[in-house]
Amino acid sequence: MRIGELSKASGVSTPSIKFYLREGLLPKGEATGHNQAQYDDSHLRRLRLIRALIEVGGLSIASARDVIAALDDSNLGTHKILGVAQHTAARGIAFCDEESKRVALTEVRAMLERLGWRVGPDNPAVHAAAEVVGALRQLGHGDIADRLEDYARALKPVAELDMAVLASRPDIDSMAETVVVGNVLGDELISALRHLAQTDRSAEFFSAEPGSNR
């Protein structure tokens, strides 16, 4: 397909496609003449990934380039490549003070060891969890933090479902796109479903009270 057709199929404007080509995010098409090139489905898939990284994941061009470079590195295995994509969804938000986070980091890492989860101690998600645990204890909601392992166990089937979806993807670009979109938008979906489940459970626990079916 020509660049105009690629633009139409992908929903990405021609100037943006040319920009991604210049920045090395999108591989060049097959030259067919002066300033003319042909593109194929691999370019379409890569454009979908670029949009996911930048528009959904909120990455800068430089950070998106790092993810693309990881995808194109034949020395990296699928697990490591998907780890790079997963880190794009990490949000560095500070919820608690440094001392509370330090204590919570020890708590989260100890939990991972008890569960036998194969996660690096400095994975961004470890730090994100520690921020939340530290904040819960700071705010006097330590009873929630005490159920940390229960929450982790409850989410393992969700992770298994995520992996089943990933395994159904045809190539590494599609898998990486799914990781980015699934983590950013999937987190919002899980949060919404959790609220719905809470509403249902609340209606059961407090069914004798008026207005319980909201």
Side-chain angles (χ1 to χ4, degrees):
M1 70 186 89
R2 302 282 290 275
I3 193 168
E5 296 171 312
L6 180 62
S7 174
K8 184 176 180 179
S10 65
V12 179
S13 69
T14 298
S16 292
I17 292 175
K18 291 180 177 179
F19 174 72
Y20 296 148
L21 287 165
R22 288 196 303 271
E23 291 295 320
L25 295 175
L26 186 68
K28 295 180 180 180
E30 182 181 355
T32 58
H34 182 63
N35 290 331
Q36 299 292 328
Q38 284 287 332
Y39 303 90
D40 56 27
D41 287 343
S42 66
H43 293 90
L44 186 57
R45 290 193 298 270
R46 180 56 60 89
L47 276 174
R48 288 183 56 182
L49 173 60
I50 293 169
R51 290 189 68 182
L53 292 171
I54 296 173
E55 297 178 18
V56 179
L59 266 65
S60 66
I61 294 297
S63 296
R65 190 185 295 111
D66 290 341
V67 176
I68 297 297
L71 291 178
D72 293 335
D73 187 346
S74 60
N75 293 319
L76 292 180
T78 302
H79 177 66
K80 288 187 177 181
I81 290 173
L82 295 180
V84 172
Q86 183 189 53
H87 292 175
T88 66
R91 298 291 184 263
I93 301 175
F95 290 111
C96 63
D97 60 42
E98 285 300 316
E99 177 59 20
S100 296
K101 181 179 178 180
R102 184 188 66 78
V103 174
L105 270 173
T106 300
E107 185 176 352
V108 172
R109 287 165 177 162
M111 178 204 70
L112 292 172
E113 186 172 350
R114 288 194 304 273
L115 292 174
W117 286 11
R118 290 164 291 184
V119 179
D122 290 316
N123 186 296
V126 173
H127 288 264
E131 286 281 359
V132 176
V133 170
L136 284 168
R137 296 203 182 283
Q138 267 189 240
L139 295 171
H141 293 282
D143 56 331
I144 300 177
D146 289 341
R147 305 298 297 271
L148 178 66
E149 189 166 325
D150 294 330
Y151 281 109
R153 291 182 185 278
L155 285 168
K156 188 168 184 179
V158 176
E160 290 172 349
L161 177 60
D162 289 339
M163 293 304 103
V165 172
L166 278 180
S168 71
R169 296 299 186 251
D171 52 53
I172 192 64
D173 273 32
S174 299
M175 293 174 77
E177 178 195 352
T178 299
V179 169
V180 176
V181 173
N183 279 346
V184 176
L185 299 185
D187 284 354
E188 295 299 321
L189 176 61
I190 289 172
S191 178
L193 292 174
R194 180 189 184 190
H195 294 165
L196 293 173
Q198 287 173 341
T199 301
D200 174 68
R201 294 298 84 198
S202 176
E204 179 175 338
F205 279 117
F206 308 111
S207 58
E209 299 179 9
S212 60
N213 289 325
R214 296 179 181 175

